[in-house]
Amino acid sequence: MLIFSDEEGTLWWHAHKEWDRATVHGAIVVYPKLGTTYPFPRPAAELTVVLGEWWKENIMLVYEQFITSGGQPIDSDAYTINGQPGDFYPCSKYETFKLEVECGKTYLLRIINAAMNEMLFFGIAEHKLTVVGTDGSYTKPLTRDFITITPGQTFDCILEANQKPGRYYMAARAYSSGVNVNFDNTTTTAIVEYKGNYDEYSSPPPLPYLPCYNDTLAAVDFSASLRSLASDDHPITVPTEVKDRLISTVSINAYPCPINGTNSTCQGPNGTRLAASMNNISFVNPSIDILEAYYYHIKGVLFGEKFPKFPPYVFNYTADVLPLRLEIPKSGTHVVMLKYNTTVELVFQGTNLVAGIDHPMHLHGFNFYTVGLGLGNFDERLDPLNYNLVDPPRQNTVAVPKRGWAAIRFKADNPGVWFLHCHFERHLTWGMKTVFIVREGDCPEEKLLPRPLDMPRC
């Protein structure tokens, strides 16, 4: 059973076991409640647009090869729009997805990035997109030639069919900012086709303008321009006083290759095994999931509460050259304990270790407000002065820029065990994740470290 609070718009569901979500996913649409309507003119029609990745091989073989190698996963063979790669691939030109529109009408596109490992630029040739919602919350209208969408994110966009009748490509391709990071550099397409009598095949459809694959400024400018609607009918409640404040680095790391053992294959840089971390801790999955142990009172699941609230090593996180010793993370199963109803600020600081790259950070169980976003090292004294506490976007996934930072705030009013992780599957697999446990009341067990996970409801 799904229980929503005040979400309205487009969300999605997906598997979270190994790499099953490559194909096990779908849209969730939350319509306005009875008696109300959209905060924008009702569109003529609505369409769900799911962006994905596709491999020729069985996805579980891809996953197993990735785990065994110690290096990067093989690139996908195609991106897809609603399951079809499009005209630029040899396998599906005659099955390319088509959207038929009528001149003068508007259409609501519910766009979901279900890709496994890539942020994407998306646009429609000679048409603009007006963003009116993200992650199940409405936004002030933002009209752009393209959007930047991370894995895990959704956008509601208005398309106006206001061009000369004809055929136009909608297209998506990767935004990939990491140096020496492999990625699928192909382009997926679908077709926006106007109704009418015209020679639709006289020339190929035009392609939209999409930024260069490594255009970080274009990606950051789009994300930083989002604003909540924050109207009387759709109010927001941004925490202005914070009781729990955390700063966490998000990094790509590398372990020295073991000489013996089953994990001795090391295809990472300089013969290492790639890893990822938050505050230099690469998360180790316990034998029994913490969420399962919590709800079924399973004893003997060990975890620690040593997740640091501040980076354990302070350095110039975004420098071009960093000492190799900083690349090696610690391994552990450490959680963040939060009191029920406390207000939280969490700053994600990207680093340039191994491969500086963007990180789409996603929090289960909560919507949060992205109150700040910037490039460089976060300045605890100056950057909060420029926070947007008036109409920040309410999201559940935020793109931490390459060599940059993002600050989010939320109220811990949803008791339980909640997963915080990077939505790039390769980074999640490498250990860029932790767990938030929100407890109602105070229990003596909270003071034990580490301890079997036997958590009575207080």
Side-chain angles (χ1 to χ4, degrees):
M1 179 176 65
L2 291 174
I3 299 175
F4 296 103
S5 50
D6 56 356
E7 291 88 355
E8 193 171 310
T10 306
L11 299 165
W12 71 306
W13 61 268
H14 55 274
H16 242 303
K17 183 179 184 296
E18 297 167 339
W19 280 22
D20 285 351
R21 83 165 176 86
T23 54
V24 184
H25 59 252
I28 299 172
V29 175
V30 183
Y31 290 105
K33 65 182 180 181
L34 292 175
T36 67
T37 187
Y38 299 118
F40 45 82
R42 180 174 288 276
E46 302 180 14
L47 174 73
T48 299
V49 177
V50 180
L51 309 176
E53 278 183 280
W54 181 79
W55 282 260
K56 293 178 181 178
E57 287 192 64
N58 181 295
I59 192 62
M60 291 314 299
L61 291 178
V62 173
Y63 171 77
E64 290 166 4
Q65 292 167 4
F66 166 50
I67 293 295
T68 302
S69 74
Q72 300 182 58
I74 63 171
D75 295 335
S76 57
D77 294 290
Y79 299 111
T80 60
I81 297 177
N82 285 354
Q84 296 297 334
D87 289 358
F88 296 165
Y89 300 90
C91 56
S92 66
K93 183 170 183 177
Y94 296 106
E95 296 178 345
T96 294
F97 179 80
K98 295 180 177 63
L99 167 62
E100 189 176 66
V101 299
E102 290 188 46
C103 194
K105 293 187 176 181
T106 62
Y107 298 82
L108 177 60
L109 306 185
R110 300 181 180 275
I111 305 168
I112 300 166
N113 186 351
M116 298 288 281
N117 289 309
E118 303 299 347
M119 295 174 62
L120 297 170
F121 291 124
F122 172 88
I124 298 175
E126 300 181 22
H127 293 73
K128 292 185 180 294
L129 293 170
T130 299
V131 178
V132 293
T134 180
D135 290 350
S137 295
Y138 291 121
T139 64
K140 290 181 172 65
L142 175 66
T143 301
R144 291 294 174 92
D145 293 323
F146 64 88
I147 66 170
T148 310
I149 184 168
T150 78
Q153 275 188 326
T154 70
F155 282 104
D156 294 334
C157 296
I158 297 294
L159 166 67
E160 292 186 49
N162 57 5
Q163 297 300 307
K164 178 181 177 181
R167 302 167 80 239
Y168 302 84
Y169 275 129
M170 67 168 68
R173 70 180 183 208
Y175 160 58
S176 182
S177 60
V179 178
N180 297 322
V181 175
N182 300 335
F183 70 98
D184 178 352
N185 64 356
T186 61
T187 300
T188 180
T189 57
I191 294 174
V192 174
E193 189 172 75
Y194 279 73
K195 289 183 178 180
N197 297 317
Y198 54 89
D199 186 2
E200 60 185 66
Y201 297 105
S202 60
S203 60
L207 278 165
Y209 163 77
L210 297 176
C212 183
Y213 75 91
N214 61 353
D215 193 338
T216 295
L217 291 180
V220 172
D221 176 71
F222 172 79
S223 298
S225 298
L226 297 169
R227 298 287 185 272
S228 281
L229 186 57
S231 66
D232 290 340
D233 291 332
H234 298 90
I236 61 173
T237 54
V238 186
T240 54
E241 295 183 5
V242 174
K243 295 180 181 178
D244 280 293
R245 183 171 277 107
L246 296 87
I247 299 177
S248 176
T249 53
V250 284
S251 304
I252 304 300
N253 303 95
Y255 287 114
C257 187
I259 297 175
N260 300 309
T262 57
N263 292 328
S264 59
T265 304
C266 299
Q267 296 178 12
N270 302 313
T272 60
R273 284 188 66 84
L274 286 168
S277 69
M278 296 183 62
N279 268 352
N280 205 47
I281 297 175
S282 188
F283 193 87
V284 177
N285 292 324
S287 58
I288 299 176
D289 186 83
I290 293 176
L291 176 64
E292 181 181 0
Y294 174 70
Y295 281 107
Y296 293 102
H297 302 285
I298 300 173
K299 296 184 179 181
V301 180
L302 296 179
F303 69 95
E305 297 172 18
K306 290 184 178 179
F307 187 86
K309 291 194 173 184
F310 192 82
Y313 303 117
V314 178
F315 54 96
N316 182 358
Y317 306 112
T318 57
D320 289 327
V321 180
L322 293 169
L324 291 178
R325 61 182 173 82
L326 293 173
E327 294 183 355
I328 304 174
K330 294 182 179 180
S331 300
T333 306
H334 292 284
V335 306
V336 178
M337 303 295 295
L338 295 174
K339 289 184 178 181
Y340 177 70
N341 264 345
T342 191
T343 49
V344 182
E345 178 177 304
L346 173 56
V347 178
F348 300 106
Q349 173 65 62
T351 78
N352 203 34
L353 292 172
V354 182
I357 195 170
D358 298 70
H359 299 287
M361 300 305 294
H362 172 65
L363 176 59
H364 291 209
F366 298 94
N367 296 305
F368 53 72
Y369 294 97
T370 302
V371 296
L373 196 70
L375 298 176
N377 297 326
F378 177 72
D379 188 315
E380 288 186 83
R381 184 174 60 90
L382 296 178
D383 285 324
L385 299 178
N386 296 315
Y387 279 175
N388 177 8
L389 301 179
V390 176
D391 58 356
R394 195 176 77 152
Q395 302 174 285
N396 59 47
T397 304
V398 61
V400 181
K402 175 184 179 179
R403 299 190 184 188
W405 57 271
I408 67 172
R409 287 186 178 184
F410 65 96
K411 187 175 184 179
D413 55 2
N414 192 8
V417 179
W418 304 109
F419 198 23
L420 171 67
H421 65 93
C422 182
H423 230 299
F424 285 149
E425 288 298 312
R426 62 183 186 273
H427 297 177
L428 170 59
T429 304
W430 285 333
M432 190 178 291
K433 52 191 173 184
T434 189
V435 169
F436 280 18
I437 298 180
V438 180
R439 300 291 302 277
E440 288 192 88
D442 294 318
C443 289
E445 289 84 358
E446 290 184 359
K447 297 178 168 50
L448 303 177
L449 174 69
R451 64 188 187 283
L453 184 58
D454 182 17
M455 305 183 66
R457 311 298 173 98
C458 301

